[in-house]
Amino acid sequence: MAPVPNPCYRFVSAPAGYPDPAKNFQYDASRTIDPDNVDLKGGFLTQTQFLSVDPYMRGRMDAGTFDCWKVGQVWAGFGISEVIRSEVPEFQEGDILYGIQPFEHYSLHTKYEGRGKLWRVIHNHEDLPLSVYLGMAGMPGKTAYYGMKSIGDPKAGESIFVSTAAGVVGQTVCQFSKAWGLKVLGSTGSDEKVKFLREELGIDQAFNYKTSSTAEEVKKFGGLDIYWDNVGSETLDVALKNMNLKGRIVVCGQIASYNGEDTKGIKNIFHMVYNEVKMQGLHVSTLESQYVDEFYATVPKMIEEGKLKYTEDVTIGLENAGEVLVKVLKGQNVGKAILQMWE
Ligand SMILES: NC(=O)c1ccc[n+]([C@@H]2O[C@H](COP(=O)([O-])OP(=O)(O)OC[C@H]3O[C@@H](n4cnc5c(N)ncnc54)[C@H](OP(=O)(O)O)[C@@H]3O)[C@@H](O)[C@H]2O)c1
């Protein structure tokens, strides 16, 4: 085969506030690759099918943050790709892989030695759309599952408040909470998403935090045994004030301040004292070895059986990666933001 285009998507400058795709990113269509003849150097070659665009990527653009991207670097994130050629025994041509990869059409993995655990072959016995392995059956679903198991510690009859409830992490937390017998309150940023939470996911109460008072809605719902925090800022402060005795707060994300917005000061920490509230940060990667087998044995099957519903927001074309990220950061996505390489 003659060389074919191998476009990639680069980070070229740090944003101040929300990213500006035209300024901060570059779609580089100049590169080519010869998939049949490129030297694998003992590694393997993959062709990208789907890429995941996630809120944490905004943090990677700020110098000095954990694992920040370097100027000129090709974006990296979770993806689903197909093995085109392989010189490693673990992966065969045609295998579908899930793992962290560059945002490009073809990826050559030559420095493979010892890095096999970074990839997982997706057997997909449940015949799910492969993109689902980036959402509810991927890192965000794991975040929900691992976080509830390790920090949320739910018991039937308890109550939970989930912020950003209509996003992929929130949807998963809400549905597990219902399945485990909890009473669920969700907040989200549009009436359409509120309707989805109430009518499709069947959670007990949901409200639009842009048009209702979070303080009043939480008070009306009653005391909280668990607060799942995707947002931080004022929402966290309201939750702190309404926690029940020995309540748990899972600090999963702080999206209200990812773009340098002013975080409103937390005033209600003292409520944790008499109520003996536990508040703990969650990092999905560190819980992987503990829960990964249980997760893959449970979640894809529940999705196949219709016990877990999901929504996706799919955009076609690598050149749109930056716009998709902005959409996620502004709450314009409805469900898991996925970048599909081709029609
Ligand atoms: N700790 C971990 O290991 C880990 C792993 C994965 C994800 N996370 C965190 O989990 C959270 C949810 O991630 P996701 O992948 O499920 O994303 P997502 O919910 O699909 O997308 C982000 C959503 O955040 C909401 N949002 C944006 N700006 C907001 C603001 N100022 N105030 C309140 N809500 C805002 C928007 O929904 P609305 O329309 O509802 O506003 C938007 O759709 C994020 O905070 C993310 O960083 C943490």
Side-chain angles (χ1 to χ4, degrees), residues 54-56 139-140 143 164 167-170 187-190 193 209 230-231 252-256 258 282-284 328-333 335:
D54 295 282
Y56 75 85
M139 182 277 286
T143 304
T164 313
V168 58
V169 172
S187 65
T188 188
S190 76
K193 293 183 187 180
Y209 68 88
N230 281 328
V231 170
C252 173
Q254 300 281 290
I255 200 162
Y258 287 0
L282 161 68
H283 189 197
V284 61
V328 167
L329 294 170
K330 292 193 170 168
Q332 291 156 354
N333 60 316

PDB file of all heavy atoms in Angstrom, residues 54-56 139-140 143 164 167-170 187-190 193 209 230-231 252-256 258 282-284 328-333 335, ligand 1:
ATOM      1  N   ASP A  54     -12.515  14.154  27.515  1.00  0.00           N
ATOM      2  CA  ASP A  54     -12.906  14.176  28.926  1.00  0.00           C
ATOM      3  C   ASP A  54     -12.549  15.506  29.586  1.00  0.00           C
ATOM      4  O   ASP A  54     -11.563  16.154  29.203  1.00  0.00           O
ATOM      5  CB  ASP A  54     -12.180  13.052  29.676  1.00  0.00           C
ATOM      6  CG  ASP A  54     -12.599  11.689  29.186  1.00  0.00           C
ATOM      7  OD1 ASP A  54     -13.684  11.239  29.576  1.00  0.00           O
ATOM      8  OD2 ASP A  54     -11.856  11.070  28.381  1.00  0.00           O
ATOM      9  N   PRO A  55     -13.305  15.877  30.637  1.00  0.00           N
ATOM     10  CA  PRO A  55     -13.044  17.153  31.317  1.00  0.00           C
ATOM     11  C   PRO A  55     -11.606  17.293  31.827  1.00  0.00           C
ATOM     12  O   PRO A  55     -11.056  18.399  31.820  1.00  0.00           O
ATOM     13  CB  PRO A  55     -14.028  17.134  32.496  1.00  0.00           C
ATOM     14  CG  PRO A  55     -15.120  16.210  32.091  1.00  0.00           C
ATOM     15  CD  PRO A  55     -14.496  15.191  31.196  1.00  0.00           C
ATOM     16  N   TYR A  56     -10.974  16.179  32.277  1.00  0.00           N
ATOM     17  CA  TYR A  56      -9.620  16.295  32.856  1.00  0.00           C
ATOM     18  C   TYR A  56      -8.611  16.850  31.856  1.00  0.00           C
ATOM     19  O   TYR A  56      -7.557  17.370  32.239  1.00  0.00           O
ATOM     20  CB  TYR A  56      -9.135  14.935  33.394  1.00  0.00           C
ATOM     21  CG  TYR A  56      -8.706  13.959  32.328  1.00  0.00           C
ATOM     22  CD1 TYR A  56      -7.413  13.997  31.806  1.00  0.00           C
ATOM     23  CD2 TYR A  56      -9.587  13.018  31.799  1.00  0.00           C
ATOM     24  CE1 TYR A  56      -7.020  13.116  30.802  1.00  0.00           C
ATOM     25  CE2 TYR A  56      -9.204  12.143  30.805  1.00  0.00           C
ATOM     26  CZ  TYR A  56      -7.915  12.191  30.308  1.00  0.00           C
ATOM     27  OH  TYR A  56      -7.534  11.332  29.306  1.00  0.00           O
ATOM     28  N   MET A 139     -13.278   4.265  31.307  1.00  0.00           N
ATOM     29  CA  MET A 139     -12.755   5.020  32.455  1.00  0.00           C
ATOM     30  C   MET A 139     -13.841   5.750  33.271  1.00  0.00           C
ATOM     31  O   MET A 139     -13.853   5.652  34.506  1.00  0.00           O
ATOM     32  CB  MET A 139     -11.668   5.990  31.959  1.00  0.00           C
ATOM     33  CG  MET A 139     -11.001   6.794  33.035  1.00  0.00           C
ATOM     34  SD  MET A 139     -11.903   8.264  33.522  1.00  0.00           S
ATOM     35  CE  MET A 139     -11.615   9.362  32.149  1.00  0.00           C
ATOM     36  N   PRO A 140     -14.797   6.475  32.619  1.00  0.00           N
ATOM     37  CA  PRO A 140     -15.787   7.182  33.440  1.00  0.00           C
ATOM     38  C   PRO A 140     -16.693   6.230  34.235  1.00  0.00           C
ATOM     39  O   PRO A 140     -17.019   6.499  35.393  1.00  0.00           O
ATOM     40  CB  PRO A 140     -16.602   7.981  32.414  1.00  0.00           C
ATOM     41  CG  PRO A 140     -15.725   8.062  31.203  1.00  0.00           C
ATOM     42  CD  PRO A 140     -14.936   6.788  31.175  1.00  0.00           C
ATOM     43  N   THR A 143     -14.823   5.064  37.130  1.00  0.00           N
ATOM     44  CA  THR A 143     -14.762   6.104  38.161  1.00  0.00           C
ATOM     45  C   THR A 143     -15.983   5.996  39.077  1.00  0.00           C
ATOM     46  O   THR A 143     -15.847   6.012  40.313  1.00  0.00           O
ATOM     47  CB  THR A 143     -14.737   7.495  37.483  1.00  0.00           C
ATOM     48  OG1 THR A 143     -13.633   7.534  36.582  1.00  0.00           O
ATOM     49  CG2 THR A 143     -14.603   8.616  38.487  1.00  0.00           C
ATOM     50  N   THR A 164     -23.748  17.114  38.430  1.00  0.00           N
ATOM     51  CA  THR A 164     -23.444  16.733  37.036  1.00  0.00           C
ATOM     52  C   THR A 164     -24.009  15.324  36.781  1.00  0.00           C
ATOM     53  O   THR A 164     -23.350  14.462  36.208  1.00  0.00           O
ATOM     54  CB  THR A 164     -21.925  16.802  36.756  1.00  0.00           C
ATOM     55  OG1 THR A 164     -21.427  18.023  37.256  1.00  0.00           O
ATOM     56  CG2 THR A 164     -21.602  16.741  35.283  1.00  0.00           C
ATOM     57  N   GLY A 167     -24.134  13.573  33.151  1.00  0.00           N
ATOM     58  CA  GLY A 167     -22.905  13.203  32.442  1.00  0.00           C
ATOM     59  C   GLY A 167     -22.651  11.718  32.615  1.00  0.00           C
ATOM     60  O   GLY A 167     -23.366  11.032  33.354  1.00  0.00           O
ATOM     61  N   VAL A 168     -21.609  11.219  31.957  1.00  0.00           N
ATOM     62  CA  VAL A 168     -21.419   9.766  31.969  1.00  0.00           C
ATOM     63  C   VAL A 168     -21.083   9.251  33.366  1.00  0.00           C
ATOM     64  O   VAL A 168     -21.625   8.221  33.804  1.00  0.00           O
ATOM     65  CB  VAL A 168     -20.393   9.323  30.894  1.00  0.00           C
ATOM     66  CG1 VAL A 168     -19.058   9.994  31.074  1.00  0.00           C
ATOM     67  CG2 VAL A 168     -20.212   7.809  30.891  1.00  0.00           C
ATOM     68  N   VAL A 169     -20.241   9.963  34.120  1.00  0.00           N
ATOM     69  CA  VAL A 169     -19.942   9.521  35.492  1.00  0.00           C
ATOM     70  C   VAL A 169     -21.229   9.608  36.323  1.00  0.00           C
ATOM     71  O   VAL A 169     -21.606   8.657  37.013  1.00  0.00           O
ATOM     72  CB  VAL A 169     -18.826  10.386  36.124  1.00  0.00           C
ATOM     73  CG1 VAL A 169     -18.654  10.048  37.596  1.00  0.00           C
ATOM     74  CG2 VAL A 169     -17.504  10.204  35.388  1.00  0.00           C
ATOM     75  N   GLY A 170     -21.912  10.751  36.207  1.00  0.00           N
ATOM     76  CA  GLY A 170     -23.134  10.970  36.993  1.00  0.00           C
ATOM     77  C   GLY A 170     -24.221   9.954  36.658  1.00  0.00           C
ATOM     78  O   GLY A 170     -24.852   9.393  37.561  1.00  0.00           O
ATOM     79  N   SER A 187     -28.404  16.891  40.115  1.00  0.00           N
ATOM     80  CA  SER A 187     -28.444  18.252  39.560  1.00  0.00           C
ATOM     81  C   SER A 187     -27.776  18.241  38.198  1.00  0.00           C
ATOM     82  O   SER A 187     -26.840  17.479  37.947  1.00  0.00           O
ATOM     83  CB  SER A 187     -27.730  19.250  40.478  1.00  0.00           C
ATOM     84  OG  SER A 187     -26.351  18.966  40.556  1.00  0.00           O
ATOM     85  N   THR A 188     -28.285  19.093  37.308  1.00  0.00           N
ATOM     86  CA  THR A 188     -27.708  19.192  35.967  1.00  0.00           C
ATOM     87  C   THR A 188     -28.066  20.554  35.368  1.00  0.00           C
ATOM     88  O   THR A 188     -28.824  21.311  35.979  1.00  0.00           O
ATOM     89  CB  THR A 188     -28.185  18.019  35.080  1.00  0.00           C
ATOM     90  OG1 THR A 188     -27.468  18.051  33.843  1.00  0.00           O
ATOM     91  CG2 THR A 188     -29.685  18.092  34.796  1.00  0.00           C
ATOM     92  N   GLY A 189     -27.514  20.839  34.167  1.00  0.00           N
ATOM     93  CA  GLY A 189     -27.578  22.200  33.668  1.00  0.00           C
ATOM     94  C   GLY A 189     -28.608  22.508  32.591  1.00  0.00           C
ATOM     95  O   GLY A 189     -28.541  23.582  31.986  1.00  0.00           O
ATOM     96  N   SER A 190     -29.554  21.606  32.325  1.00  0.00           N
ATOM     97  CA  SER A 190     -30.611  21.956  31.364  1.00  0.00           C
ATOM     98  C   SER A 190     -31.884  21.170  31.682  1.00  0.00           C
ATOM     99  O   SER A 190     -31.824  20.099  32.294  1.00  0.00           O
ATOM    100  CB  SER A 190     -30.175  21.651  29.918  1.00  0.00           C
ATOM    101  OG  SER A 190     -30.244  20.262  29.668  1.00  0.00           O
ATOM    102  N   LYS A 193     -31.889  17.685  30.225  1.00  0.00           N
ATOM    103  CA  LYS A 193     -31.151  16.690  31.015  1.00  0.00           C
ATOM    104  C   LYS A 193     -31.933  16.297  32.278  1.00  0.00           C
ATOM    105  O   LYS A 193     -31.898  15.143  32.703  1.00  0.00           O
ATOM    106  CB  LYS A 193     -29.759  17.228  31.383  1.00  0.00           C
ATOM    107  CG  LYS A 193     -28.824  17.404  30.179  1.00  0.00           C
ATOM    108  CD  LYS A 193     -27.439  17.879  30.623  1.00  0.00           C
ATOM    109  CE  LYS A 193     -26.537  18.237  29.478  1.00  0.00           C
ATOM    110  NZ  LYS A 193     -25.199  18.704  29.911  1.00  0.00           N
ATOM    111  N   TYR A 209     -29.705  23.276  37.978  1.00  0.00           N
ATOM    112  CA  TYR A 209     -29.032  24.181  38.928  1.00  0.00           C
ATOM    113  C   TYR A 209     -28.896  25.606  38.379  1.00  0.00           C
ATOM    114  O   TYR A 209     -28.601  26.538  39.124  1.00  0.00           O
ATOM    115  CB  TYR A 209     -27.656  23.636  39.327  1.00  0.00           C
ATOM    116  CG  TYR A 209     -26.627  23.629  38.206  1.00  0.00           C
ATOM    117  CD1 TYR A 209     -25.822  24.735  37.946  1.00  0.00           C
ATOM    118  CD2 TYR A 209     -26.476  22.521  37.387  1.00  0.00           C
ATOM    119  CE1 TYR A 209     -24.898  24.734  36.910  1.00  0.00           C
ATOM    120  CE2 TYR A 209     -25.557  22.504  36.349  1.00  0.00           C
ATOM    121  CZ  TYR A 209     -24.774  23.613  36.119  1.00  0.00           C
ATOM    122  OH  TYR A 209     -23.869  23.612  35.078  1.00  0.00           O
ATOM    123  N   ASN A 230     -19.016  16.270  41.569  1.00  0.00           N
ATOM    124  CA  ASN A 230     -18.361  16.443  40.268  1.00  0.00           C
ATOM    125  C   ASN A 230     -18.034  17.906  40.007  1.00  0.00           C
ATOM    126  O   ASN A 230     -17.439  18.228  38.981  1.00  0.00           O
ATOM    127  CB  ASN A 230     -19.291  15.953  39.141  1.00  0.00           C
ATOM    128  CG  ASN A 230     -19.289  14.453  38.992  1.00  0.00           C
ATOM    129  OD1 ASN A 230     -18.272  13.796  39.240  1.00  0.00           O
ATOM    130  ND2 ASN A 230     -20.419  13.892  38.599  1.00  0.00           N
ATOM    131  N   VAL A 231     -18.469  18.793  40.911  1.00  0.00           N
ATOM    132  CA  VAL A 231     -18.534  20.221  40.605  1.00  0.00           C
ATOM    133  C   VAL A 231     -17.692  21.111  41.513  1.00  0.00           C
ATOM    134  O   VAL A 231     -17.012  22.020  41.058  1.00  0.00           O
ATOM    135  CB  VAL A 231     -20.028  20.662  40.671  1.00  0.00           C
ATOM    136  CG1 VAL A 231     -20.158  22.149  40.614  1.00  0.00           C
ATOM    137  CG2 VAL A 231     -20.805  20.036  39.528  1.00  0.00           C
ATOM    138  N   CYS A 252     -14.947  13.745  43.320  1.00  0.00           N
ATOM    139  CA  CYS A 252     -14.583  13.149  42.034  1.00  0.00           C
ATOM    140  C   CYS A 252     -14.070  14.197  41.064  1.00  0.00           C
ATOM    141  O   CYS A 252     -13.114  13.964  40.330  1.00  0.00           O
ATOM    142  CB  CYS A 252     -15.818  12.443  41.465  1.00  0.00           C
ATOM    143  SG  CYS A 252     -15.576  11.823  39.803  1.00  0.00           S
ATOM    144  N   GLY A 253     -14.705  15.361  41.013  1.00  0.00           N
ATOM    145  CA  GLY A 253     -14.296  16.412  40.081  1.00  0.00           C
ATOM    146  C   GLY A 253     -14.684  17.775  40.615  1.00  0.00           C
ATOM    147  O   GLY A 253     -15.468  17.882  41.563  1.00  0.00           O
ATOM    148  N   GLN A 254     -14.124  18.808  40.021  1.00  0.00           N
ATOM    149  CA  GLN A 254     -14.386  20.190  40.467  1.00  0.00           C
ATOM    150  C   GLN A 254     -14.603  21.047  39.224  1.00  0.00           C
ATOM    151  O   GLN A 254     -14.003  22.101  39.057  1.00  0.00           O
ATOM    152  CB  GLN A 254     -13.190  20.722  41.282  1.00  0.00           C
ATOM    153  CG  GLN A 254     -12.869  19.932  42.535  1.00  0.00           C
ATOM    154  CD  GLN A 254     -13.792  20.248  43.697  1.00  0.00           C
ATOM    155  OE1 GLN A 254     -13.733  21.328  44.269  1.00  0.00           O
ATOM    156  NE2 GLN A 254     -14.662  19.313  44.049  1.00  0.00           N
ATOM    157  N   ILE A 255     -15.500  20.606  38.339  1.00  0.00           N
ATOM    158  CA  ILE A 255     -15.565  21.210  37.002  1.00  0.00           C
ATOM    159  C   ILE A 255     -15.966  22.690  37.032  1.00  0.00           C
ATOM    160  O   ILE A 255     -15.671  23.420  36.081  1.00  0.00           O
ATOM    161  CB  ILE A 255     -16.467  20.389  36.051  1.00  0.00           C
ATOM    162  CG1 ILE A 255     -16.140  20.732  34.593  1.00  0.00           C
ATOM    163  CG2 ILE A 255     -17.940  20.560  36.362  1.00  0.00           C
ATOM    164  CD1 ILE A 255     -16.614  19.718  33.587  1.00  0.00           C
ATOM    165  N   ALA A 256     -16.561  23.157  38.119  1.00  0.00           N
ATOM    166  CA  ALA A 256     -16.940  24.576  38.189  1.00  0.00           C
ATOM    167  C   ALA A 256     -15.712  25.492  38.161  1.00  0.00           C
ATOM    168  O   ALA A 256     -15.847  26.699  37.955  1.00  0.00           O
ATOM    169  CB  ALA A 256     -17.769  24.839  39.438  1.00  0.00           C
ATOM    170  N   TYR A 258     -12.541  24.490  36.462  1.00  0.00           N
ATOM    171  CA  TYR A 258     -11.500  23.995  35.555  1.00  0.00           C
ATOM    172  C   TYR A 258     -10.980  25.071  34.595  1.00  0.00           C
ATOM    173  O   TYR A 258      -9.891  24.948  34.057  1.00  0.00           O
ATOM    174  CB  TYR A 258     -12.010  22.811  34.716  1.00  0.00           C
ATOM    175  CG  TYR A 258     -12.159  21.512  35.467  1.00  0.00           C
ATOM    176  CD1 TYR A 258     -11.854  21.407  36.818  1.00  0.00           C
ATOM    177  CD2 TYR A 258     -12.612  20.364  34.819  1.00  0.00           C
ATOM    178  CE1 TYR A 258     -12.007  20.211  37.500  1.00  0.00           C
ATOM    179  CE2 TYR A 258     -12.760  19.167  35.492  1.00  0.00           C
ATOM    180  CZ  TYR A 258     -12.467  19.096  36.835  1.00  0.00           C
ATOM    181  OH  TYR A 258     -12.619  17.910  37.504  1.00  0.00           O
ATOM    182  N   LEU A 282     -11.046  11.047  44.978  1.00  0.00           N
ATOM    183  CA  LEU A 282     -11.095   9.791  44.223  1.00  0.00           C
ATOM    184  C   LEU A 282     -10.180   9.909  43.017  1.00  0.00           C
ATOM    185  O   LEU A 282     -10.256  10.894  42.274  1.00  0.00           O
ATOM    186  CB  LEU A 282     -12.545   9.570  43.752  1.00  0.00           C
ATOM    187  CG  LEU A 282     -12.791   8.588  42.607  1.00  0.00           C
ATOM    188  CD1 LEU A 282     -12.479   7.166  43.044  1.00  0.00           C
ATOM    189  CD2 LEU A 282     -14.243   8.672  42.143  1.00  0.00           C
ATOM    190  N   HIS A 283      -9.313   8.944  42.814  1.00  0.00           N
ATOM    191  CA  HIS A 283      -8.507   8.914  41.589  1.00  0.00           C
ATOM    192  C   HIS A 283      -8.671   7.528  40.983  1.00  0.00           C
ATOM    193  O   HIS A 283      -8.171   6.534  41.529  1.00  0.00           O
ATOM    194  CB  HIS A 283      -7.027   9.219  41.903  1.00  0.00           C
ATOM    195  CG  HIS A 283      -6.213   9.420  40.670  1.00  0.00           C
ATOM    196  ND1 HIS A 283      -4.853   9.365  40.640  1.00  0.00           N
ATOM    197  CD2 HIS A 283      -6.592   9.669  39.387  1.00  0.00           C
ATOM    198  CE1 HIS A 283      -4.420   9.568  39.412  1.00  0.00           C
ATOM    199  NE2 HIS A 283      -5.460   9.764  38.643  1.00  0.00           N
ATOM    200  N   VAL A 284      -9.366   7.484  39.853  1.00  0.00           N
ATOM    201  CA  VAL A 284      -9.772   6.190  39.284  1.00  0.00           C
ATOM    202  C   VAL A 284      -8.585   5.251  39.059  1.00  0.00           C
ATOM    203  O   VAL A 284      -8.676   4.047  39.330  1.00  0.00           O
ATOM    204  CB  VAL A 284     -10.609   6.397  37.992  1.00  0.00           C
ATOM    205  CG1 VAL A 284      -9.833   7.127  36.920  1.00  0.00           C
ATOM    206  CG2 VAL A 284     -11.153   5.094  37.461  1.00  0.00           C
ATOM    207  N   VAL A 328     -17.852  20.030  26.106  1.00  0.00           N
ATOM    208  CA  VAL A 328     -17.916  19.323  27.394  1.00  0.00           C
ATOM    209  C   VAL A 328     -17.750  20.315  28.547  1.00  0.00           C
ATOM    210  O   VAL A 328     -18.493  20.279  29.532  1.00  0.00           O
ATOM    211  CB  VAL A 328     -16.816  18.228  27.462  1.00  0.00           C
ATOM    212  CG1 VAL A 328     -16.655  17.696  28.881  1.00  0.00           C
ATOM    213  CG2 VAL A 328     -17.133  17.090  26.504  1.00  0.00           C
ATOM    214  N   LEU A 329     -16.799  21.224  28.390  1.00  0.00           N
ATOM    215  CA  LEU A 329     -16.515  22.175  29.476  1.00  0.00           C
ATOM    216  C   LEU A 329     -17.650  23.182  29.660  1.00  0.00           C
ATOM    217  O   LEU A 329     -17.812  23.757  30.721  1.00  0.00           O
ATOM    218  CB  LEU A 329     -15.194  22.899  29.218  1.00  0.00           C
ATOM    219  CG  LEU A 329     -13.944  21.999  29.250  1.00  0.00           C
ATOM    220  CD1 LEU A 329     -12.726  22.749  28.738  1.00  0.00           C
ATOM    221  CD2 LEU A 329     -13.682  21.449  30.635  1.00  0.00           C
ATOM    222  N   LYS A 330     -18.445  23.374  28.594  1.00  0.00           N
ATOM    223  CA  LYS A 330     -19.576  24.311  28.695  1.00  0.00           C
ATOM    224  C   LYS A 330     -20.902  23.583  28.946  1.00  0.00           C
ATOM    225  O   LYS A 330     -21.960  24.204  28.947  1.00  0.00           O
ATOM    226  CB  LYS A 330     -19.671  25.156  27.422  1.00  0.00           C
ATOM    227  CG  LYS A 330     -18.493  26.111  27.298  1.00  0.00           C
ATOM    228  CD  LYS A 330     -18.693  27.161  26.235  1.00  0.00           C
ATOM    229  CE  LYS A 330     -17.606  28.224  26.331  1.00  0.00           C
ATOM    230  NZ  LYS A 330     -17.573  29.116  25.190  1.00  0.00           N
ATOM    231  N   GLY A 331     -20.841  22.259  29.112  1.00  0.00           N
ATOM    232  CA  GLY A 331     -22.064  21.506  29.420  1.00  0.00           C
ATOM    233  C   GLY A 331     -22.990  21.345  28.227  1.00  0.00           C
ATOM    234  O   GLY A 331     -24.173  21.086  28.393  1.00  0.00           O
ATOM    235  N   GLN A 332     -22.455  21.461  27.000  1.00  0.00           N
ATOM    236  CA  GLN A 332     -23.323  21.332  25.815  1.00  0.00           C
ATOM    237  C   GLN A 332     -23.404  19.885  25.319  1.00  0.00           C
ATOM    238  O   GLN A 332     -24.113  19.581  24.378  1.00  0.00           O
ATOM    239  CB  GLN A 332     -22.804  22.247  24.699  1.00  0.00           C
ATOM    240  CG  GLN A 332     -23.002  23.713  25.048  1.00  0.00           C
ATOM    241  CD  GLN A 332     -22.041  24.644  24.323  1.00  0.00           C
ATOM    242  OE1 GLN A 332     -21.134  24.200  23.627  1.00  0.00           O
ATOM    243  NE2 GLN A 332     -22.214  25.939  24.504  1.00  0.00           N
ATOM    244  N   ASN A 333     -22.651  18.991  25.957  1.00  0.00           N
ATOM    245  CA  ASN A 333     -22.743  17.562  25.606  1.00  0.00           C
ATOM    246  C   ASN A 333     -23.898  16.936  26.377  1.00  0.00           C
ATOM    247  O   ASN A 333     -24.183  17.297  27.505  1.00  0.00           O
ATOM    248  CB  ASN A 333     -21.434  16.833  25.961  1.00  0.00           C
ATOM    249  CG  ASN A 333     -21.100  16.903  27.449  1.00  0.00           C
ATOM    250  OD1 ASN A 333     -21.208  17.951  28.070  1.00  0.00           O
ATOM    251  ND2 ASN A 333     -20.711  15.794  28.029  1.00  0.00           N
ATOM    252  N   GLY A 335     -24.410  13.394  27.495  1.00  0.00           N
ATOM    253  CA  GLY A 335     -23.835  12.048  27.605  1.00  0.00           C
ATOM    254  C   GLY A 335     -22.364  12.044  27.222  1.00  0.00           C
ATOM    255  O   GLY A 335     -21.750  13.094  26.994  1.00  0.00           O
TER     256      GLY A 335
HETATM  257  N1  LIG B   1     -11.554  11.537  39.938  1.00  0.00           N
HETATM  258  C1  LIG B   1     -11.453  10.832  38.832  1.00  0.00           C
HETATM  259  O1  LIG B   1     -10.679   9.871  38.751  1.00  0.00           O
HETATM  260  C2  LIG B   1     -12.314  11.250  37.670  1.00  0.00           C
HETATM  261  C3  LIG B   1     -12.406  10.457  36.502  1.00  0.00           C
HETATM  262  C4  LIG B   1     -13.275  10.849  35.489  1.00  0.00           C
HETATM  263  C5  LIG B   1     -14.012  12.024  35.608  1.00  0.00           C
HETATM  264  N2  LIG B   1     -13.857  12.785  36.728  1.00  0.00           N
HETATM  265  C6  LIG B   1     -14.649  14.022  36.913  1.00  0.00           C
HETATM  266  O2  LIG B   1     -16.019  13.665  36.901  1.00  0.00           O
HETATM  267  C7  LIG B   1     -16.799  14.773  36.446  1.00  0.00           C
HETATM  268  C8  LIG B   1     -17.762  14.310  35.361  1.00  0.00           C
HETATM  269  O3  LIG B   1     -17.015  13.833  34.257  1.00  0.00           O
HETATM  270  P1  LIG B   1     -17.751  13.245  32.966  1.00  0.00           P
HETATM  271  O4  LIG B   1     -16.723  12.560  32.155  1.00  0.00           O
HETATM  272  O5  LIG B   1     -18.965  12.488  33.378  1.00  0.00           O
HETATM  273  O6  LIG B   1     -18.150  14.557  32.173  1.00  0.00           O
HETATM  274  P2  LIG B   1     -19.580  15.012  31.670  1.00  0.00           P
HETATM  275  O7  LIG B   1     -20.450  15.086  32.870  1.00  0.00           O
HETATM  276  O8  LIG B   1     -20.029  14.183  30.548  1.00  0.00           O
HETATM  277  O9  LIG B   1     -19.285  16.463  31.091  1.00  0.00           O
HETATM  278  C9  LIG B   1     -18.993  17.523  31.902  1.00  0.00           C
HETATM  279  C10 LIG B   1     -20.269  18.184  32.440  1.00  0.00           C
HETATM  280  O10 LIG B   1     -19.947  19.054  33.509  1.00  0.00           O
HETATM  281  C11 LIG B   1     -20.983  19.967  33.672  1.00  0.00           C
HETATM  282  N3  LIG B   1     -20.442  21.300  33.945  1.00  0.00           N
HETATM  283  C12 LIG B   1     -19.640  22.034  33.164  1.00  0.00           C
HETATM  284  N4  LIG B   1     -19.364  23.215  33.767  1.00  0.00           N
HETATM  285  C13 LIG B   1     -20.004  23.202  34.945  1.00  0.00           C
HETATM  286  C14 LIG B   1     -20.118  24.147  36.005  1.00  0.00           C
HETATM  287  N5  LIG B   1     -19.493  25.326  35.978  1.00  0.00           N
HETATM  288  N6  LIG B   1     -20.882  23.806  37.067  1.00  0.00           N
HETATM  289  C15 LIG B   1     -21.502  22.620  37.110  1.00  0.00           C
HETATM  290  N7  LIG B   1     -21.437  21.687  36.132  1.00  0.00           N
HETATM  291  C16 LIG B   1     -20.687  21.984  35.056  1.00  0.00           C
HETATM  292  C17 LIG B   1     -21.794  19.958  32.374  1.00  0.00           C
HETATM  293  O11 LIG B   1     -23.031  19.328  32.644  1.00  0.00           O
HETATM  294  P3  LIG B   1     -24.326  20.173  33.127  1.00  0.00           P
HETATM  295  O12 LIG B   1     -25.134  20.437  31.919  1.00  0.00           O
HETATM  296  O13 LIG B   1     -24.992  19.269  34.090  1.00  0.00           O
HETATM  297  O14 LIG B   1     -23.812  21.437  33.756  1.00  0.00           O
HETATM  298  C18 LIG B   1     -20.977  19.082  31.462  1.00  0.00           C
HETATM  299  O15 LIG B   1     -21.781  18.357  30.555  1.00  0.00           O
HETATM  300  C19 LIG B   1     -15.801  15.843  36.007  1.00  0.00           C
HETATM  301  O16 LIG B   1     -15.635  16.756  37.049  1.00  0.00           O
HETATM  302  C20 LIG B   1     -14.518  15.044  35.810  1.00  0.00           C
HETATM  303  O17 LIG B   1     -13.377  15.827  35.943  1.00  0.00           O
HETATM  304  C21 LIG B   1     -13.031  12.424  37.744  1.00  0.00           C
END
